[in-house]
Amino acid sequence: MITVASLMDQAYGVSIMNYITKEADRNVNISAIHEVLKRLERKGLLKSKMGGATAERGGRRKRYFVLTGNGKKALEECMKQKIQLYKKVPNFSLKSL
Amino acid sequence: MNTHPPQWASRFLEWYCNPDLLEEIQGDAYELYEERLKKSKRYANAKFVLDVIRFCRWSNIKRDNYLPGSSAAIWNLNFKMAARNAGKNKLIFVIKTSGLALAMAFSLLLTAYVVNELTYDHFHVNYDRIYRISSKINFSDHITHYAVTPLPIGRELKEKVPEVENYTRFMYEDKPIYTSIDPKNSQIFHDQRTLSVNSTFLKVFTYEFLSGNTHALNESNKLVVTETTALRLFGTVNALGKLIHLDKHIPLEVSAVIKDVPSNTHLKFDALISWSTFDRNDEWDNLNAYNYIVLREDASIEAVRAKLPKVLATFQEEVAKEYNATFEAPFEKIADIHFSGFLDEDIAEKKNKNDLFLLSAIIFLFVITGLINYLNLTLAELTSNLKKIGVVRVFGGFTGGHKKILISETIIAMLIVLPLAALLFYLSWRSAADYFSIQIDKHVLMSFWFVSISAGFIFFLFASTRINSYLLSKVNHVVLSLKGKLSTSQSTVPIRKFLVGMQLSFCIIMIALVFIVVDQFHFIQNSDKGFDSHHKLVVKFRSGNYSQITTFNEEIKKINGVAGVSISSYYPGMVESKYIFHVESEKGMLELLVPMMNCDYNYIDVMGIDVIKGRNFKEEYSTDIKGAYLINETAAKEFGWKDPIGKKISGPYETDGHEGEVVGLLRDFNFTSMHNKIEPLIIFHVNQDWGVQYVYLNLDPLHSADLIPTIEKNFKAQWPELPFEWEYLDSRYMSLYQKDYEMKNIFQTGLIISILISCLGIFSISALLASLRTKEMGIRKVVGAKAAQLFALHIKSFVQFLFISMLVAWPLIWYLSDQWLKNFAYHIKISIWYFIFPGLIVLAITLLTSCYHGIKSAMVSPVDTLKYE
C-alpha cells in the first residue's frame, strides 16, 4: 500500500513489482501482487482506473491504482501504530542490538 | 527474431481468465516478458509460462460481475433468501428434496445392479482372454449342448495350438462331506460347494489370497478354502496347514486361504481341492469336466477355432461311430456366460440381457422424472419470488441475480439431497441383499462405470438447474420482474406439460408391468402343476442304499402325521438325467434321448399325479420291478403313440437283458420350472442298481410341531454320520423362480417410487399452472363462472395430457410385457384390462393431487387475484 502511495499515479502491476524488488530487495511474483491489489480494492482501500495503451504491452491497457480516502486513513492509522510501538522501545535495548 | 511469448500459454491464459481481468493481467505478463527477453529468450519463455500458471487461481477464473462494495452483501443475502425460501415453503421444500433424493437413490441402486450384472467375471485380470469350452452333440434328431467337456480337451488344445497360453479344468465334487480330524470332537460339514481343480486354476482365474499363493494346488491332497469356509471348518481365518478329511478317508491340507469369491461370477465355490488328489479316467469319453482356455494376448479366438478340427478329429470319429452323432466344441468368453442360454449341466446363473436394457431404460426415466420434478417445483416457487429479485436488482443486484439465488438454492438443496440420497442408497443396498436376495457385490460400488455414472447424475443435476436460470434470464426487465411476471413462461409450459406427460406414461407403464408380473406369479403359484406340492417334505440322501432306505421308510411310515412315503430320483430344479431309450415306432425301434426318473409304488399316489390310462406300478405284478414303464402325455405325443399301453421300450435295463412295456399313461406334470416346456418323461421303478436320492413324505396338514425332529431322530439312527437334509417341496418350487422374484421386487419398489414421483410432478405442474392463471381465474369468476367450473377447467388440462400419455404408454406396455412373458413357457394372456386399469389408477392419482391447487384457485376471492399485480 505504501508502494502504491509512493508511486503516486504510476502504480500498476509491473511497476509495483519492480519497485518492491528494488526498494525492499524482495522477490515477489506478479500474480501475488495482483491478488493483493484485488483484495485491497475489494476492501475499498484502493481504487483503480484503466490507463492508456502502450506498445510494450502489445497494445494492452494498464490498470492504475490509487489510494482512496479510506485507504489513506488506514495507512496513516497503521503507520501511527507502528511508530508508537517503536517509540516505546527503550533506547538501551536498541543500542545493544 | 520471434518475440512472442509461447502461443499456447497465452491462449491458455485467455481461456481461463475472467475477461474483465484479462487485459491487465496479460498486459503485465507481456511487459515482464519483454523485459526478460533482454536476458534470454528461453528464460523469458519459462518465466512467462510460470506466470501464466501462477495467475491461474480461482479469483482470476471466476466470472462474476464484480463491483466493489455491495456484492459480498448481496451474496450473503442470496444464501439468506434461499434458506428463507426453503423455510417458508417447508412442504414444497421437503417434497422437492426428498423426491429428488429418492429418485437419485433408486436410480443409483438400479445402476449398481445393472453394472453388477454387466460386469460378471470382470474381476479376473484376463477376463477378456479366458474362454470356456462347451460340448455340442448333434444327434440325428436333436442337439444337446453341455457345459461339461471331455476331460483332456483343454490340455490337448494347449499342447497342440500355439495361440492357447494356458488352460484349466475342474470338476464338481458331488455333495462333499468334510469331517474334522480331531477324533474327540468330530464335526461334519456338508454345505461347501467344492471343485476339484488342476494346478493352473489359480493362475487362470484371479482371486485375492489371504495366505498362500497361486502354487497352492500343485501337489495332491491340498485344499484351498475361502475366508468364510475357513471360519466354518476351522473357526479361524489362519487355517494354513490345517488338516481335514474329505468323505472320511481322504486327508487334505489347507495350502491357501482366499477371500470370498465375489458374487458377480458364474463360478461360485467354497473350497478347491487339487486335481491330482483323485484318480480319474482322463480320457476323451469322460465328458465331465469344465474346461477353460486363456488365449495369448495377440491371438484371436478365430485362429484357435480354425485349428480345433485337427485336435478333435479322432474323438469326432469315435462319436460318429458310436452314437451316430457329430461333436463340436464352441468357445464362449467367460464374461458372456452370464447372458448366454442355459446349457445342460451348466453351473452359471443366467440373466436375460433384455431385462437389463429394460432396467437401464427405467433408470434413465427415473433420473429424468426426478429432475423434472425438482425443476418444476423450483420454477414454480421462483415465479413467486420474481418480485423479490426485482427489488434486489433495484438495490444494485445484477442481471444474474436470480442465477445466484438459484445457485445458492441448488447448493442448499444439494447439501440435503446428496447425503440423503447416499444414505437411502446405502440402506436400500443393504436391505436389497437381506430382504430381496439381490446380491450386488461391493466391488461394483468402486468400479469405474458405477462411479462415472453417479458422477454423471450429479453433473446432470447441476446442469439442469441452469435450464431454470436460462428461462429466468429471459426476464430482463426490472419492471417486469417487479410486476412479478414470468414473461416467457407461456412458451415453456408446453415443454413442461410434455415432460410431465412423459412421467405419467412412465407411471402407467410401471403400474401395468407390476400388474402383469404379479399376475404371472399368481399364475405360477396357483397353476395346476399336475401334482400337489402342498404339505410335502423331501429328505435328501447323499448315497442311496436301497435296502437301508426302505427300512428307514418303514420306520417313518409308523410316525403319526406322515400320510405317505415314497422314493424318487427326481428333485425339482436339479439337473435332470437323460438316457438313451429305444422306443417302438412304425419304422422299428427308434433311438431317443429322453428325460427319465425312477420312483417306487407310492410315488404317483403321494404326489397326486393322475393316471389317465392303464395303471400305476403295483406290487402284485412282479414284473413291475424290472420291465414296466410309465410315460407322460408329452412322451406319448412325441413317440407318436395313440394308445401307449403295451408299447415296447428298452433302455437302462438293456444291460441286464430286460425289455419292458408301458403300463400306464400319466397326465403331464411340470417337473421343472414354468420357464420350460414340459418334456417327454419315462418313469421306471427303483431297484438296487439305481441309487435312491430323495424320499418324499406326504405330511398330514395338522401334523404336530415335533414331527420333523422325530423324522430326524429316525434318520440319525440309520445314518449317524450323515447330515439330515430336508426341504418343503413348496419352498423348493418357489426358489426356482428366484431371479424372477428379483425382477418383481425391483418393479414393485419402482412402482411405489414412480407413483410418488409422478404425484409430485403433477402437484408441481398444477402449482405452476395455477399461479400462471391466477388472474384469468379471477376474471372468469367476476364474469360469473362458478367455483365448480373453474375447478373443472383446472382439471381439464391434466386429463388431456393423461390421455396422450396413455396412448404413448400402451404400445410400450404391450412390447415390454411380451418380452418378459416370453421367458416363461407357460404364462398368462395379456388382456385389455392391463391397459385400462393402470390408466384409471393414474387418472385417480392425477385428480387427487391436482385438486389441491384446483380447489385453491377455484375458491379464491377474485378481489385478491385481480390486484395480483
Side-chain angles (χ1 to χ4, degrees):
Chain A
M1 218 154 83
I2 307 174
T3 334
V4 177
S6 56
L7 280 171
M8 291 295 284
D9 49 359
Q10 283 301 314
Y12 72 98
V14 177
S15 71
I16 294 171
M17 185 180 94
N18 288 339
Y19 192 79
I20 291 175
T21 322
K22 206 170 73 195
E23 297 293 321
D25 205 17
R26 246 169 66 193
N27 263 330
V28 274
N29 189 278
I30 182 75
S31 55
I33 296 202
H34 274 264
E35 212 48 41
V36 173
L37 289 175
K38 222 180 301 172
R39 267 184 226 144
L40 288 173
E41 186 172 16
R42 200 162 289 188
K43 281 182 189 161
L45 301 178
L46 295 181
K47 59 186 177 191
S48 63
K49 62 175 197 294
M50 299 305 281
T54 48
E56 61 191 346
R57 297 166 61 88
R60 288 173 191 83
R61 290 177 298 169
K62 296 169 184 168
R63 185 189 284 279
Y64 290 108
F65 290 88
V66 280
L67 285 180
T68 60
N70 271 342
K72 276 178 195 150
K73 218 184 270 170
L75 190 59
E76 274 164 23
E77 277 284 306
C78 181
M79 288 319 289
K80 219 156 76 188
Q81 262 180 14
K82 273 190 185 165
I83 291 167
Q84 253 172 19
L85 281 174
Y86 184 74
K87 276 181 183 161
K88 295 244 168 82
V89 178
N91 282 340
F92 63 87
S93 65
L94 257 186
K95 268 172 202 156
S96 73
L97 277 172
Chain B
M1 194 178 104
N2 176 18
T3 54
H4 288 295
Q7 282 290 319
W8 61 269
S10 186
R11 239 177 276 139
F12 175 58
L13 179 72
E14 278 162 36
W15 173 70
Y16 73 71
C17 192
N18 184 348
D20 294 333
L21 300 173
L22 177 66
E23 190 165 6
E24 45 175 316
I25 288 177
Q26 215 175 9
D28 280 357
Y30 266 64
E31 193 178 330
L32 283 170
Y33 177 76
E34 303 262 322
E35 211 167 288
R36 285 166 187 158
L37 263 185
K38 286 167 204 156
K39 277 199 185 162
S40 91
K41 187 171 159 57
R42 257 179 85 173
Y43 169 76
N45 276 353
K47 271 286 192 186
F48 182 81
V49 172
L50 198 68
D51 275 345
V52 167
I53 291 169
R54 291 180 78 163
F55 268 122
C56 182
R57 34 180 103 187
W58 179 239
S59 60
N60 288 340
I61 296 173
K62 70 170 181 215
R63 273 96 164 127
D64 62 355
N65 312 41
Y66 160 73
L67 271 183
S70 57
S71 184
I74 293 263
W75 255 113
N76 268 344
L77 189 65
N78 284 335
F79 269 108
K80 217 179 265 174
M81 270 170 76
R84 222 179 267 163
N85 278 345
K88 198 173 81 185
N89 297 322
K90 276 190 200 78
L91 178 70
I92 293 203
F93 186 74
V94 168
I95 288 177
K96 189 163 83 170
T97 46
S98 57
L100 189 60
L102 210 59
M104 289 275 280
F106 194 65
S107 23
L108 279 180
L109 187 68
L110 285 187
T111 312
Y113 181 73
V114 170
V115 170
N116 182 59
E117 293 293 318
L118 286 178
T119 54
Y120 253 60
D121 286 309
H122 280 219
F123 62 88
H124 299 298
V125 173
N126 296 327
Y127 75 89
D128 51 348
R129 293 196 280 136
I130 306 175
Y131 289 80
R132 182 174 78 168
I133 313 171
S134 54
S135 345
K136 204 170 177 183
I137 304 170
N138 306 303
F139 293 95
S140 55
D141 56 336
H142 64 275
I143 297 170
T144 32
H145 197 165
Y146 290 106
V148 284
T149 41
L151 260 61
I153 193 168
R155 191 188 59 218
E156 293 279 307
L157 275 172
K158 195 201 166 189
E159 279 167 15
K160 295 190 179 156
V161 181
E163 279 86 356
V164 177
E165 183 179 286
N166 209 346
Y167 84 102
T168 186
R169 58 180 173 178
F170 63 85
M171 279 168 73
Y172 249 84
E173 277 309 308
D174 196 26
K175 297 171 186 163
I177 297 176
Y178 295 95
T179 36
S180 52
I181 206 119
D182 183 7
K184 267 179 257 155
N185 179 24
S186 121
Q187 273 179 295
I188 305 169
F189 307 94
H190 52 84
D191 280 336
Q192 283 71 27
R193 289 163 295 185
T194 306
L195 310 177
S196 61
V197 305
N198 74 339
S199 57
T200 48
F201 186 85
L202 293 172
K203 287 161 201 141
V204 169
F205 298 113
T206 315
Y207 298 107
E208 280 179 71
F209 286 87
L210 290 174
S211 56
N213 55 35
T214 55
H215 299 295
L217 292 168
N218 288 357
E219 294 158 51
S220 62
N221 292 62
K222 297 289 180 212
L223 179 72
V224 170
V225 288
T226 60
E227 212 176 334
T228 315
T229 317
L231 274 175
R232 286 186 57 190
L233 296 186
F234 307 106
T236 167
V237 183
N238 305 318
L240 204 64
K242 296 230 160 131
L243 293 170
I244 199 163
H245 273 154
L246 174 71
D247 297 340
K248 287 198 155 171
H249 61 278
I250 306 169
L252 296 171
E253 185 197 345
V254 176
S255 57
V257 180
I258 57 174
K259 277 203 174 156
D260 283 352
V261 180
S263 63
N264 54 351
T265 175
H266 80 282
L267 193 54
K268 295 190 173 88
F269 60 84
D270 300 310
L272 303 170
I273 300 174
S274 52
W275 180 270
S276 46
T277 310
F278 306 96
D279 248 352
R280 293 184 200 284
N281 165 23
D282 200 354
E283 291 299 327
W284 280 88
D285 59 354
N286 189 355
L287 194 130
N288 269 317
Y290 299 85
N291 270 287
Y292 294 75
I293 52 168
V294 189
L295 286 194
R296 278 186 204 295
E297 256 168 274
D298 50 349
S300 82
I301 192 70
E302 293 310 320
V304 182
R305 278 205 186 104
K307 287 171 188 166
L308 187 62
K310 230 169 59 190
V311 180
L312 292 180
T314 40
F315 180 60
Q316 276 170 331
E317 262 170 47
E318 220 170 274
V319 171
K321 214 164 61 191
E322 199 161 323
Y323 301 100
N324 198 16
T326 57
F327 176 84
E328 284 171 57
F331 297 108
E332 191 178 19
K333 270 194 177 185
I334 54 164
D336 298 335
I337 292 177
H338 188 50
F339 302 108
S340 63
F342 193 83
L343 307 183
D344 273 348
E345 307 206 11
D346 209 334
I347 44 167
E349 297 160 8
K350 300 289 181 176
K351 185 95 201 165
N352 195 342
K353 242 183 181 165
N354 281 344
D355 285 356
L356 293 185
F357 288 128
L358 191 65
L359 281 180
S360 313
I362 289 176
I363 296 173
F364 184 70
L365 283 170
F366 259 115
V367 175
I368 296 283
T369 45
L371 282 179
I372 294 169
N373 265 317
Y374 179 76
L375 296 184
N376 272 346
L377 281 170
T378 320
L379 191 66
E381 237 185 311
L382 267 177
T383 42
S384 60
N385 281 338
L386 272 179
K387 259 185 205 166
K388 223 183 273 173
I389 294 170
V391 173
V392 168
R393 278 161 71 176
V394 167
F395 280 99
F398 305 96
T399 29
H402 45 259
K403 277 187 207 161
K404 284 184 188 160
I405 293 184
L406 263 177
I407 292 169
S408 24
E409 271 192 351
T410 314
I411 291 170
I412 286 183
M414 284 314 112
L415 285 179
I416 296 168
V417 166
L418 292 181
L420 193 64
L423 182 75
L424 279 175
F425 169 70
Y426 179 74
L427 288 179
S428 54
W429 175 57
R430 294 303 297 269
S431 59
D434 292 347
Y435 298 113
F436 303 138
S437 64
I438 298 172
Q439 288 292 333
I440 297 171
D441 201 81
K442 59 179 182 296
H443 296 285
V444 168
L445 304 186
M446 287 295 127
S447 75
F448 168 74
W449 279 107
F450 181 72
V451 171
S452 51
I453 289 175
S454 14
F457 285 164
I458 294 170
F459 172 76
F460 220 43
L461 193 61
F462 275 99
S464 64
T465 54
R466 300 299 281 191
I467 300 175
N468 267 351
S469 60
Y470 168 75
L471 289 176
L472 280 177
S473 68
K474 295 250 173 103
V475 197
N476 274 328
H477 305 287
V478 182
V479 184
L480 264 187
S481 60
L482 274 177
K483 278 183 173 175
K485 261 191 190 163
L486 188 60
S487 59
T488 52
S489 61
Q490 290 298 349
S491 63
T492 65
V493 167
I495 302 171
R496 273 157 210 280
K497 271 187 178 171
F498 166 75
L499 291 176
V500 173
M502 228 170 77
Q503 216 171 314
L504 281 180
S505 26
F506 176 50
C507 192
I508 295 174
I509 294 172
M510 287 300 287
I511 293 177
L513 286 183
V514 169
F515 270 147
I516 290 171
V517 171
V518 169
D519 272 9
Q520 171 69 18
F521 273 95
H522 276 286
F523 177 74
I524 291 170
Q525 260 170 325
N526 301 331
S527 70
D528 188 5
K529 288 191 271 289
F531 64 90
D532 184 15
S533 67
H534 302 301
H535 312 300
K536 296 287 184 301
L537 187 91
V538 187
V539 182
K540 306 180 213 171
F541 290 88
R542 279 158 196 279
S543 53
N545 181 320
Y546 181 62
S547 55
Q548 223 176 347
I549 289 176
T550 326
T551 38
F552 170 67
N553 285 357
E554 291 303 319
E555 291 295 316
I556 295 284
K557 227 178 270 178
K558 291 176 202 151
I559 301 172
N560 200 5
V562 177
V565 181
S566 69
I567 302 172
S568 167
S569 68
Y570 168 70
Y571 191 47
M574 293 294 285
V575 181
E576 58 201 287
S577 13
K578 290 182 179 175
Y579 274 89
I580 294 181
F581 288 88
H582 296 266
V583 298
E584 185 185 334
S585 80
E586 283 156 10
K587 289 171 263 164
M589 295 303 264
L590 266 184
E591 203 176 278
L592 287 173
L593 192 70
V594 189
M596 63 100 192
M597 63 183 257
N598 50 32
C599 65
D600 65 355
Y601 300 111
N602 306 321
Y603 185 72
I604 304 294
D605 293 335
V606 166
M607 297 296 283
I609 300 168
D610 289 343
V611 181
I612 302 179
K613 258 184 196 169
R615 59 176 176 84
N616 187 1
F617 296 131
K618 285 217 172 75
E619 279 170 84
E620 303 96 87
Y621 299 85
S622 59
T623 48
D624 274 6
I625 296 266
K626 281 184 179 182
Y629 294 96
L630 299 174
I631 60 168
N632 68 356
E633 285 173 296
T634 314
K637 224 177 286 163
E638 189 107 329
F639 305 151
W641 293 342
K642 290 235 169 58
D643 180 20
I645 308 298
K647 296 277 189 214
K648 297 267 180 290
I649 291 180
S650 69
Y653 301 148
E654 208 183 17
T655 40
D656 18 312
H658 279 274
E659 190 173 272
E661 54 176 48
V662 176
V663 296
L665 176 67
L666 302 179
R667 201 157 75 82
D668 275 343
F669 61 97
N670 206 326
F671 56 100
T672 53
S673 78
M674 300 287 248
H675 283 292
N676 308 83
K677 273 225 172 325
I678 291 177
E679 284 189 86
L681 177 69
I682 296 179
I683 305 174
F684 54 92
H685 199 279
V686 282
N687 57 37
Q688 303 280 8
D689 309 338
W690 294 81
V692 177
Q693 276 125 19
Y694 304 100
V695 168
Y696 284 70
L697 305 179
N698 198 359
L699 302 184
D700 204 323
L702 300 170
H703 65 75
S704 59
D706 61 346
L707 180 59
I708 288 162
T710 321
I711 298 173
E712 181 171 7
K713 220 187 286 161
N714 274 294
F715 182 93
K716 284 288 176 196
Q718 201 64 246
W719 298 276
E721 76 288 354
L722 288 182
F724 177 62
E725 293 168 277
W726 61 276
E727 197 168 18
Y728 282 111
L729 197 56
D730 270 341
S731 63
R732 176 66 199 171
Y733 262 94
M734 275 358 271
S735 69
L736 293 180
Y737 302 103
Q738 197 186 336
K739 281 274 160 186
D740 303 308
Y741 269 114
E742 281 180 18
M743 279 309 262
K744 181 188 158 217
N745 287 329
I746 290 175
F747 273 116
Q748 266 174 350
T749 328
L751 172 75
I752 296 167
I753 294 175
S754 74
I755 287 182
L756 253 173
I757 292 180
S758 313
C759 285
L760 299 183
I762 298 161
F763 188 77
S764 65
I765 192 89
S766 78
L768 185 61
L769 284 181
S771 77
L772 286 174
R773 297 174 81 176
T774 328
K775 211 166 179 188
E776 183 194 327
M777 293 295 186
I779 293 171
R780 277 174 193 273
K781 209 161 191 189
V782 168
V783 177
K786 290 200 179 71
Q789 280 171 321
L790 292 181
F791 182 67
L793 197 71
H794 181 82
I795 296 293
K796 204 182 81 190
S797 50
F798 288 99
V799 177
Q800 263 170 3
F801 57 63
L802 182 68
F803 271 109
I804 297 166
S805 53
M806 263 197 254
L807 290 181
V808 176
W810 281 343
L812 278 168
I813 293 174
W814 183 81
Y815 175 74
L816 293 175
S817 57
D818 193 50
Q819 287 288 317
W820 188 73
L821 288 176
K822 264 188 205 159
N823 289 334
F824 294 89
Y826 301 92
H827 58 76
I828 46 170
K829 296 258 174 325
I830 301 174
S831 79
I832 182 93
W833 291 108
Y834 291 121
F835 298 92
I836 294 176
F837 260 134
L840 290 177
I841 291 174
V842 174
L843 180 68
I845 294 171
T846 317
L847 291 182
L848 279 175
T849 40
S850 64
C851 74
Y852 170 71
H853 287 284
I855 292 172
K856 210 167 128 188
S857 62
M859 302 299 282
V860 82
S861 153
V863 181
D864 288 337
T865 51
L866 285 181
K867 70 176 185 194
Y868 185 59
E869 229 164 71

